[in-house]
């Protein structure tokens, strides 16, 4: 039996300051509130979750854990297995009012999306009355959590949640009263949410929906007079154009974004744009420009202010991601050994919570090894890719293609 240690859950305990005993007590307290009777978790249960001997706790413990750590089970390192991933509804013996903090209808669908909607409490966003900057701050916090979930598990399961929250914020914008400052802040928040939805659609393989969300993100960023939101939207639109094979359009968008004042002032945005510009140059055959853009991305990365936290949507952009994007550019220029080296570097640098990116670059490494005829390494790499806790049809489809090609290679004399 596979009992790999749940490193993500171990890190979470440290970050939140829980001992095994104190976490069990908190789980039991919240379980009592949800189900009407205290839970029976012990420090031994917590040790089993950490060790991996229990890869998917019962719903009586999963729901409290999702509330405590503010993330779905997969983002805590738990791995669903068939029907065991279904969470139960609260028992009928729970009296009305006891379950107020966790709304009953969130239990009707036990998918990752439903669990995430429960944890994020998107229905607490006002849809009537007067809206304040404090309300918008809470909205931005929720969107930041959504971005964090995407980084952890991918976007396939998040599209429904992001779309539902967009509808909620549209109601907020139409039905609440607010002043000009709040209006701009709300447009900025909606821009960020459209960007998240666009990435979720991209991960689900729905390019048309992704493109529409990124265009809406740009429009809302303009209405909110937010340079960062606009830079993010332009960057995402360039990636979407590249994904659809419109490489010169992607180049034009990237160049325009790099000319903005914000791109010149913010090294994180500059690093992202230069990295994607390098890929665009590679796809259009300009290898010299590709090399210059990769160098510019590295120089921008060296200027990162590590004392100030990045905005939630840019937290993924670290040394591992810079290496991974460079690998994509090298691959597009035909420099497969360099691409393999950079991809392996990205995998070494990735943190334990970056499950989605780890699966993405794991598949990319297997593809590169296979393309160079190293079927032995490709087979080992592909076997090690863990997509069980990642919700990304795009990644899963690429991995399936690798396995099919390996099977064919094995059959060839």
């Amino acid at each position: 039996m596979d009992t790999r240690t749940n490193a993500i859950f171990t890190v979470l305990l440290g970050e939140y300051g829980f001992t095994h005993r104190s976490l069990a007590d908190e789980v039991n307290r919240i379980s009592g509130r949800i189900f009407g009777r205290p839970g029976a978790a012990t420090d031994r249960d917590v040790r089993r979750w950490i060790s991996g001997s229990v890869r998917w706790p019962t719903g009586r413990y999963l729901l409290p854990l999702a509330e405590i750590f503010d993330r779905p089970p997969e983002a805590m390192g738990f791995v669903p297995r068939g029907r065991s991933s279904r969470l139960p509804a609260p028992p009928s013996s729970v009296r009305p009012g006891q379950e107020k903090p966790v709304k009953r209808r969130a239990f009707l669908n036990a998918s990752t999306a439903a669990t995430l909607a429960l944890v994020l409490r998107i229905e607490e966003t006002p849809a009537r009355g007067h809206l304040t900057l404090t309300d918008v701050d809470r909205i931005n916090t929720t969107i930041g959590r959504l971005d964090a979930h995407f980084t952890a598990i991918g976007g396939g399961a998040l599209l429904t949640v992001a779309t539902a929250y967009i509808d909620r914020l549209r109601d907020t914008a139409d039905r609440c009263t607010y002043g000009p400052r709040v209006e701009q802040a709300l447009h900025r928040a909606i821009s960020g949410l459209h960007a998240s939805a666009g990435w979720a659609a991209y991960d689900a393989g729905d390019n048309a929906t992704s493109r529409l969300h990124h265009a809406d993100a740009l429009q809302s960023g303009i209405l909110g007079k937010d340079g960062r939101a606009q830079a993010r939207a332009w960057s995402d639109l360039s990636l979407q154009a590249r994904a659809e094979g419109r490489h010169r359009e992607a180049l034009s968008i990237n160049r325009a974004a790099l000319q903005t004042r914000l791109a010149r002032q913010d090294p994180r945005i500059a690093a992202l744009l230069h990295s994607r510009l390098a890929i665009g140059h590679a796809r259009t055959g300009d290898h010299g420009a590709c090399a210059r853009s990769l160098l510019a991305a590295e120089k921008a990365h060296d200027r990162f202010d590590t004392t100030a936290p990045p905005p939630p949507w840019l937290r993924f952009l670290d040394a591992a991601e810079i290496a991974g994007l460079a690998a994509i550019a090298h691959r597009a220029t035909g420099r497969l050994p360099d691409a393999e080296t950079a991809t392996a570097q990205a995998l070494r640098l990735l943190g334990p919570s970056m499950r989605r990116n780890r699966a993405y670059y794991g598949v990319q490494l297997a593809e590169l090894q296979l393309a160079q005829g190293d079927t032995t390494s490709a087979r080992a790499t592909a076997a090690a890719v863990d997509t069980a806790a990642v919700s990304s049809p795009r990644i899963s489809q690429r991995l399936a293609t690798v396995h099919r090609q390996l099977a064919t290679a094995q059959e060839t004399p």
Side-chain angles (χ1 to χ4, degrees):
M1 179 180 176
D2 183 1
T3 57
R4 286 180 294 176
T5 299
N6 188 338
I8 295 176
F9 194 70
T10 303
V11 170
L12 285 174
L13 259 69
E15 288 182 353
Y16 282 71
F18 280 114
T19 64
H20 297 174
R21 180 67 261 172
S22 65
L23 178 61
D25 290 341
E26 184 67 3
V27 166
N28 291 335
R29 184 186 69 79
I30 296 177
S31 182
R33 192 188 71 205
I34 295 174
F35 293 97
R37 63 184 188 280
T42 67
D43 52 353
R44 181 171 179 270
D45 291 303
V46 178
R47 287 194 294 273
R48 293 173 71 195
W49 301 335
I50 291 172
S51 70
S53 61
V54 174
R55 303 186 71 186
W56 188 265
T58 66
R60 186 172 178 79
Y61 298 146
L62 268 183
L63 287 171
L65 287 169
E67 181 170 333
I68 291 168
F69 294 114
D70 192 25
R71 65 199 69 204
E74 293 89 342
M76 291 184 282
F78 296 124
V79 180
R81 288 186 172 181
R83 293 184 178 180
S84 65
S85 65
R86 294 195 171 276
L87 304 181
S92 57
S93 60
V94 177
R95 296 186 301 275
Q98 279 186 307
E99 59 193 280
K100 182 178 179 181
V102 183
K103 297 178 175 60
R104 178 183 295 273
R105 61 175 165 272
F107 294 88
L108 297 179
N109 182 345
S111 66
T112 298
T115 305
L116 181 56
L118 165 71
V119 172
L120 293 179
R121 302 181 180 126
I122 66 175
E123 292 190 0
E124 294 182 5
T125 298
R128 297 285 193 284
H130 186 70
L131 197 71
T132 68
L133 285 174
T134 300
D135 293 318
V136 179
D137 286 341
R138 293 194 189 100
I139 291 169
N140 281 320
T141 298
T142 298
I143 296 170
R145 291 172 185 159
L146 194 66
D147 287 333
H149 292 311
F150 172 86
T151 300
I153 66 173
L158 308 187
L159 182 55
T160 301
V161 179
T163 302
Y165 200 25
I166 286 171
D167 291 340
R168 180 76 176 186
L169 291 188
R170 283 174 175 164
D171 287 343
T172 298
D174 287 340
R175 298 174 183 175
C176 289
T177 60
Y178 40 79
R181 289 180 60 206
V182 172
E183 181 179 18
Q184 285 189 11
L186 183 58
H187 281 305
R188 290 195 291 270
I190 293 173
S191 175
L193 187 55
H194 271 299
S196 299
W199 271 98
Y202 173 85
D203 243 26
D206 188 347
N207 285 331
T209 299
S210 179
R211 190 185 325 115
L212 289 174
H213 278 300
H214 291 317
D216 286 340
L218 178 60
Q219 175 179 298
S220 294
I222 293 171
L223 291 174
K225 299 180 180 179
D226 186 341
R228 281 185 172 78
Q230 294 173 49
R232 179 184 185 184
W234 281 121
S235 176
D236 290 342
L237 282 167
S238 72
L239 182 141
Q240 189 63 48
R242 191 181 79 222
E244 296 175 13
R246 295 178 281 110
H247 302 301
R248 294 201 177 277
E249 179 182 330
L251 273 175
S252 298
I253 293 172
N254 253 309
R255 288 194 186 104
L258 277 167
Q259 295 303 313
T260 62
R261 178 173 56 86
L262 185 64
R264 293 192 297 270
Q265 293 178 345
D266 190 326
R268 292 183 185 275
I269 292 177
L272 178 62
L273 291 172
H274 279 299
S275 294
R276 290 182 175 169
L277 185 63
I279 298 171
H281 284 310
R283 294 281 170 83
T284 56
D286 193 341
H287 296 187
C290 171
R292 290 192 294 273
S293 292
L294 287 177
L295 180 59
E298 291 177 3
K299 289 181 176 179
H301 177 262
D302 291 340
R303 301 200 312 272
F304 281 13
D305 181 2
T306 57
T307 63
W313 72 272
L314 267 178
R315 286 175 186 161
F316 76 97
L317 189 67
D318 53 13
E321 184 67 11
I322 296 294
L325 292 171
I328 297 173
H330 291 318
R331 183 180 186 178
T333 61
R335 299 169 60 183
L336 299 187
D338 290 340
E340 181 180 355
T341 299
T343 303
Q345 180 184 11
L347 286 167
R348 286 195 303 272
L349 294 173
L350 279 172
S353 66
M354 307 286 278
R355 299 176 76 92
R356 186 261 180 194
N357 282 9
R358 183 166 296 281
Y360 180 92
Y361 287 122
V363 173
Q364 179 169 290
L365 181 60
E367 291 171 339
L368 289 164
Q369 291 166 337
L370 189 56
Q372 296 175 86
D374 187 357
T375 55
T376 300
S377 296
R379 189 170 288 110
T381 300
V385 175
D386 182 9
T387 59
V390 174
S391 178
S392 173
R394 187 179 292 269
I395 295 174
S396 298
Q397 289 163 10
R398 286 177 60 181
L399 181 59
T401 299
V402 169
H403 283 303
R404 284 195 300 270
Q405 292 173 339
L406 285 169
T408 302
Q410 190 174 24
E411 294 168 3
T412 302

